[in-house]
Amino acid sequence: MQIRAVELNPGNPFTWASGLRSPIYCDNRKTLSYPEIRRYIRDSFAHIIRHHYPGTEVIAGVATGGIAHGALVAEALNLPFIYVRSEAKKHGLTNQVEGVIEPGQKVVVVEDLISTGKSSLNAVAALNETGAEILGMVAIFTYSFRKAADNFSEAGCGLHTLTHYDQLVQAAHGLNYISEEELSSLQEWRKDPEAWSAAYTQTH
């Protein structure tokens, strides 16, 4: 919130690419512009990976938001780095996974943001096709949607995040960044984003 990587505005919501109206907009790329925050994220990821995935052999970043953070973590852990495109290239070697990965290598995937988890788990599926063993995923932030939890459970992929939506809005309220009424609206949005978006559209 301090660097406006996250903005909360229930009264004048943002429009996502899907068309969904949302009271929150999260741009984790801004964290890369602040060395102290960038290092904190790198070190936090490294701590989680050392603790939960001590056998990690390769760090994989999800394009595009997870590439820079993933590379920083790989450097901190002195591990190889690869990254995964949203889809295979249409030319050249037509790779979806860029870098060197061998079958059986143990991989932790780095992502910046989890919404439904669909694009993140698409990267996991691409890595599985290489024969790699996916230990789990780390991310900066998750909206904590039930759909995401179900998707990760179905894929059999563990997820550790540095923070999550409920924690964020409570902190925002504690810092007087949002009012009690706005907190209530933000909590309702997280329970059912589609219904919240539809209700806002009908009344505006």
Side-chain angles (χ1 to χ4, degrees):
M1 288 182 288
Q2 291 172 341
I3 64 171
R4 304 193 77 82
V6 172
E7 297 201 35
L8 301 169
N9 194 343
N12 186 23
F14 308 93
T15 303
W16 284 1
S18 63
L20 190 76
R21 302 304 296 270
S22 167
I24 177 173
Y25 190 83
C26 184
D27 182 6
N28 285 316
R29 291 169 181 81
K30 286 187 177 180
T31 62
L32 294 166
S33 298
Y34 297 84
E36 183 178 355
I37 295 172
R38 188 177 67 215
R39 286 191 295 268
Y40 179 82
I41 291 171
R42 177 201 65 193
D43 294 345
S44 297
F45 277 156
H47 173 76
I48 290 171
I49 293 168
R50 288 191 187 103
H51 181 72
H52 292 282
Y53 308 114
T56 303
E57 296 174 302
V58 178
I59 299 296
V62 179
T64 58
I67 292 178
H69 290 293
L72 289 166
V73 173
E75 182 66 18
L77 296 174
N78 193 33
L79 291 174
F81 176 72
I82 60 175
Y83 71 88
V84 187
R85 298 176 180 274
S86 58
E87 59 182 20
K89 289 199 305 184
K90 306 297 185 186
H91 57 278
L93 298 177
T94 66
N95 292 335
Q96 184 171 3
V97 178
E98 299 285 6
V100 178
I101 181 72
E102 302 293 342
Q105 283 191 303
K106 295 178 173 61
V107 180
V108 168
V109 183
V110 176
E111 181 64 287
D112 71 324
L113 175 69
I114 305 294
S115 53
T116 64
K118 184 178 178 181
S119 60
S120 305
L121 291 170
N122 177 58
V124 169
L127 288 165
N128 280 329
E129 290 181 6
T130 71
E133 179 184 345
I134 312 305
L135 300 182
M137 183 179 296
V138 296
I140 297 172
F141 180 74
T142 176
Y143 290 110
S144 303
F145 293 146
R146 169 52 58 186
K147 188 173 183 179
D150 291 342
N151 286 340
F152 273 88
S153 177
E154 184 178 340
C157 182
L159 174 65
H160 291 83
T161 64
L162 302 188
T163 188
H164 54 79
Y165 184 80
D166 291 339
Q167 188 177 47
L168 173 75
V169 296
Q170 289 295 339
H173 182 249
L175 293 168
N176 295 318
Y177 189 81
I178 55 173
S179 66
E180 190 73 33
E181 182 180 352
E182 288 172 324
L183 173 63
S184 178
S185 180
L186 285 158
Q187 290 171 331
E188 287 302 314
W189 176 82
R190 213 273 295 162
K191 292 176 186 175
D192 194 337
E194 289 81 9
W196 190 99
S197 179
Y200 179 86
T201 302
Q202 290 173 359
T203 57
H204 293 76

